[in-house]
Amino acid sequence: ESKGKIGIIGSGLIGRSWSMLFAAAGYKVVIYDIDANQVSSALEGVREQLKDLEKSGLLRGKLSVDEQLQLISGTNKFEDCVKGAKYIQECTPENFELKKKVFQQLDQLADDHTVLASSTSSMPASTFSEDLKHRSQVIVAHPTNPPFYCPLTEVVPAPWTKPEVTTATMSIMKEIGQVAVLLKKEVLGFALNRIQYSIVQECRRLVSNDVISVEDLDKVMTEGLGMRYAFIGPMETCHLNAEGMANYSERYGEMIYRITETFGPNPKWEGPGHEKIIQEMNEQIPLDTLAERRRWRDARLTALAKLKREM
Ligand code: NAD
């Protein structure tokens, strides 16, 4: 029996993933997209992905593939998606004007209880919800790609988001098996991308300054830092790498400060150093092999997710 209705606005990569996550937990899911072809290809794509997950033993929840598929439907009418939904997950492209427009549309139809969540990777909800009547129901729920294997979701309320909306979002995330973290205030890029981009920018400096090749740089992560980060975060790493955090800071704090002082200016995404990175990446993984490499990635992440679940 269905637990209630979830509306998904935008049926690309992220909209499809959310549909599967909610259906696996027993919710009735209605997918809407401005492009009718996208809706039918989303339904087809979800069917295939669920079959693959079943094969690899990673289907979430207690329902069979057929039971989950029965819970998911598509529509070309915005209203059919929104009406009666207890929670809406907006998944349209990362474009400010578009997000504003879609939330205005939602504002017209939503009742006073629907949670209006956005999947945006970077835009605080306050930037696109200020003038809405239902602005206290708007919140960001930013997933990690691919959401089925990387369960982290950043929940980011605007200053005017009602506490009940934040609580409801945190609890529905937990219910569908996501790991939700709450940002206590809005910040551009949220936490995950701020951390990711600080890593990417230093990696780009090291390669453009000819300190290391792209291939070896990636190994620093996959064979070094990444090995620990799947289990312990940077803070716990410090705590364990000495006799606790206070001792770590006595031993290494000054050195870390000195090293990071040499990072240099924030590098733009252009110029000869940048072109070199593009060229090395294209040689290492030619563009016509990206799809194959993504399948390989998903299989590895599947194995890791299984390992973590069994531990
Ligand atoms: P996508 O391009 O794959 O899908 C977007 C879908 O929205 C398309 O199917 C498009 O037809 C539809 N759309 C466009 N205008 C619309 C409208 N007015 N109404 C309804 N549907 C409309 O994009 P995606 O990768 O799924 O990203 C969606 C959101 O999720 C973005 O905000 C993105 O930043 C965020 N996000 C993406 C990732 C990622 O890695 N891809 C990770 C986390 C969050």
Side-chain angles (χ1 to χ4, degrees):
E1 196 183 308
S2 157
K3 287 180 176 167
K5 174 179 162 182
I6 306 290
I8 304 286
I9 314 280
S11 61
L13 197 68
I14 295 298
R16 291 169 198 203
S17 297
W18 279 121
S19 310
M20 301 196 309
L21 292 170
F22 282 111
Y27 283 100
K28 180 173 154 45
V29 178
V30 181
I31 304 176
Y32 164 81
D33 200 289
I34 197 139
D35 174 357
N37 291 328
Q38 275 290 85
V39 176
S40 39
S41 91
L43 294 173
E44 194 44 49
V46 163
R47 172 185 301 276
E48 278 168 28
Q49 283 191 63
L50 286 175
K51 292 244 145 82
D52 285 349
L53 286 164
E54 186 182 40
K55 245 188 266 163
S56 50
L58 274 174
L59 208 58
R60 288 203 198 181
K62 296 191 180 75
L63 303 176
S64 69
V65 170
D66 283 338
E67 286 167 331
Q68 297 193 26
L69 285 170
Q70 271 171 22
L71 288 170
I72 307 177
S73 62
T75 179
N76 303 320
K77 290 205 197 98
F78 190 76
E79 194 175 344
D80 292 347
C81 173
V82 179
K83 274 278 153 76
K86 66 182 258 182
Y87 180 100
I88 302 280
Q89 184 76 40
E90 171 277 323
C91 312
T92 61
E94 191 76 353
N95 169 305
F96 180 67
E97 292 308 322
L98 182 63
K99 297 279 186 212
K100 255 191 124 152
K101 196 184 95 189
V102 171
F103 275 87
Q104 272 160 7
Q105 267 178 287
L106 281 170
D107 200 32
Q108 300 303 312
L109 290 176
D111 64 30
D112 294 340
H113 305 286
T114 321
V115 172
L116 305 173
S118 173
S119 303
T120 175
S121 310
S122 65
M123 293 175 232
S126 62
T127 62
F128 55 83
S129 64
E130 185 165 12
D131 303 329
L132 307 180
K133 336 191 253 291
H134 294 102
R135 68 178 196 169
S136 65
Q137 293 156 243
V138 178
I139 194 163
V140 166
H142 170 234
T144 309
N145 193 37
F148 225 87
Y149 310 108
C150 301
L152 183 83
T153 299
E154 295 180 279
V155 173
V156 195
W160 46 73
T161 304
K162 275 190 286 205
E164 306 90 274
V165 168
T166 306
T167 313
T169 307
M170 294 293 287
S171 79
I172 202 167
M173 287 300 130
K174 191 164 171 216
E175 188 192 352
I176 66 173
Q178 293 299 89
V179 176
V181 294
L182 178 65
L183 267 63
K184 292 186 277 181
K185 53 171 97 153
E186 292 188 317
V187 57
L188 197 63
F190 315 131
L192 182 137
N193 278 329
R194 289 180 80 93
I195 296 168
Q196 170 166 238
Y197 298 158
S198 70
I199 293 174
V200 170
Q201 289 296 67
E202 177 54 12
C203 291
R204 294 176 62 250
R205 287 191 200 96
L206 289 170
V207 175
S208 354
N209 293 338
D210 222 14
V211 174
I212 192 167
S213 68
V214 162
E215 204 174 344
D216 279 351
L217 186 280
D218 274 351
K219 279 189 200 142
V220 172
M221 200 48 107
T222 60
E223 306 302 318
L225 289 174
M227 291 294 287
R228 355 164 132 133
Y229 284 166
F231 297 95
I232 55 171
M235 294 296 137
E236 189 179 344
T237 298
C238 297
H239 199 60
L240 297 186
N241 279 1
E243 297 312 312
M245 193 61 158
N247 179 247
Y248 185 89
S249 62
E250 271 164 39
R251 286 202 219 180
Y252 305 114
E254 196 48 41
M255 174 197 76
I256 293 171
Y257 183 78
R258 257 189 292 117
I259 293 173
T260 50
E261 281 274 283
T262 70
F263 275 8
N266 194 9
K268 284 251 161 87
W269 286 62
E270 60 193 27
H274 182 61
E275 293 304 322
K276 196 177 86 170
I277 295 175
I278 295 178
Q279 196 191 331
E280 277 189 53
M281 272 328 297
N282 288 346
E283 277 162 21
Q284 196 185 312
I285 302 170
L287 295 178
D288 58 357
T289 65
L290 286 180
E292 189 188 319
R293 186 69 178 167
R294 282 193 199 108
R295 280 195 294 277
W296 176 87
R297 173 198 68 186
D298 289 348
R300 299 274 74 73
L301 287 172
T302 303
L304 179 62
K306 243 188 200 164
L307 173 69
K308 287 189 75 159
R309 188 197 281 178
E310 284 158 9
M311 285 176 39

